[in-house]
Amino acid sequence: MKLRYILLCLLWLLPCTMWREEGGVSQRPTASLVSEADACRSLYHDMGLEGVVNWKAFRQAVTGYQRIEGRKRDVLTLIDFSLPSTAERFFVFDMARRRLLFSSVVAHGKNSGENYATSFSNEYGSYKSSLGFYLTGSTYQGSNGYSLLLDGLEKGINDRARERAIVVHGAAYADPSVASRGGRLGRSFGCPALPQKLSRPIIDAIKDGSVMYIYAPTPEYLAQSTVLNASDLPDAI
């Protein structure tokens, strides 16, 4: 009887200690989500993000960051497209030192929307932004100056980023002064374009293998994502 009880206990504990692999991403089982959420809340409070960064977007970004294989930097970038282009919606976090490094405005694709980005695509020539998780690559000097390559990690969502030349770069149309005159930033061909005075320091902070997450409150993304699941992301902080 005692042996049977021990075996039952072991069978119950086993799922809590296992990880499952899916699409090259390590995913924690449901039983570990409580402690994972608590750790994320602690990080959110330690960084002083209340009233600055959307909790739901941050929670999703951190969850994916922890699951992404191949990251080489303890740096996480969040682009929050639930906010208008006139707001600071590009955030860079030092995950090791638990602090916010940068916050900035950022432009979205010209066919994704006016002041808000509401439509997204992975298709070449769409001139739309793409959601989901990326790893940053190397830098280069291009037609937009100092720029950063991005590798989209989610098939069908953003994996054509290189083909589409979706990169981080600076642009005059991404300056806050443009928004103050016209009611919104200028728009890109799908790239996350930054103010020129911030593009180099931000690119240097996130280049070479850090995680980027582009968020929007769209159920369609969660239904297709190979990194996140709608069921494992509670809304409440």
Side-chain angles (χ1 to χ4, degrees):
M1 188 72 177
K2 180 182 287 188
L3 179 60
R4 182 182 178 188
Y5 175 76
I6 292 172
L7 288 172
L8 287 172
C9 289
L10 288 173
L11 287 172
W12 183 82
L13 288 170
L14 185 60
C16 299
T17 61
M18 293 179 63
W19 291 58
R20 63 187 176 90
E21 299 289 332
E22 182 176 321
V25 177
S26 296
Q27 298 200 355
R28 293 180 186 271
T30 303
S32 69
L33 291 176
V34 174
S35 59
E36 186 181 75
D38 288 342
C40 190
R41 289 187 189 96
S42 174
L43 185 64
Y44 186 77
H45 291 304
D46 288 351
M47 289 184 176
L49 302 181
E50 298 90 340
V52 178
V53 177
N54 175 347
W55 159 250
K56 187 174 182 180
F58 181 78
R59 173 80 168 94
Q60 291 186 10
V62 172
T63 299
Y65 166 86
Q66 293 169 338
R67 294 174 177 175
I68 297 299
E69 296 181 339
R71 62 179 168 88
K72 301 175 183 177
R73 305 278 305 279
D74 293 326
V75 175
L76 170 63
T77 300
L78 167 63
I79 300 175
D80 182 2
F81 280 154
S82 71
L83 297 172
S85 69
T86 50
E88 292 186 351
R89 56 183 184 171
F90 186 105
F91 306 97
V92 180
F93 309 102
D94 183 328
M95 301 297 280
R97 297 182 180 179
R98 303 172 77 89
R99 61 192 179 108
L100 175 64
L101 297 178
F102 295 97
S103 62
S104 172
V105 297
V106 63
H108 56 255
K110 62 183 293 186
N111 288 337
S112 280
E114 294 289 330
N115 195 22
Y116 285 86
T118 57
S119 182
F120 308 98
S121 176
N122 192 38
E123 294 303 313
Y124 183 85
S126 68
Y127 298 152
K128 293 183 180 183
S129 299
S130 300
L131 301 178
F133 286 92
Y134 299 76
L135 279 174
T136 61
S138 58
T139 61
Y140 69 98
Q141 285 287 341
S143 59
N144 291 300
Y146 192 55
S147 304
L148 175 66
L149 295 169
L150 296 173
D151 289 302
L153 302 179
E154 302 199 68
K155 186 173 178 57
I157 297 174
N158 61 21
D159 62 325
R160 300 181 72 183
R162 288 269 185 145
E163 177 187 343
R164 297 178 61 210
I166 302 301
V167 302
V168 180
H169 64 79
Y173 59 76
D175 193 270
S177 62
V178 174
S180 66
R181 296 193 301 269
R184 61 165 173 79
L185 289 187
R187 294 165 299 169
S188 70
F189 287 169
C191 298
L194 295 166
Q196 290 174 317
K197 65 180 180 181
L198 285 177
S199 59
R200 180 172 285 271
I202 288 178
I203 287 172
D204 283 341
I206 68 176
K207 65 183 179 181
D208 298 331
S210 73
V211 173
M212 175 181 287
Y213 178 52
I214 301 182
Y215 166 84
T218 57
E220 294 82 7
Y221 164 71
L222 287 179
Q224 299 175 46
S225 176
T226 57
V227 180
L228 301 177
N229 299 293
S231 60
D232 67 7
L233 297 167
D235 292 344
I237 185 168

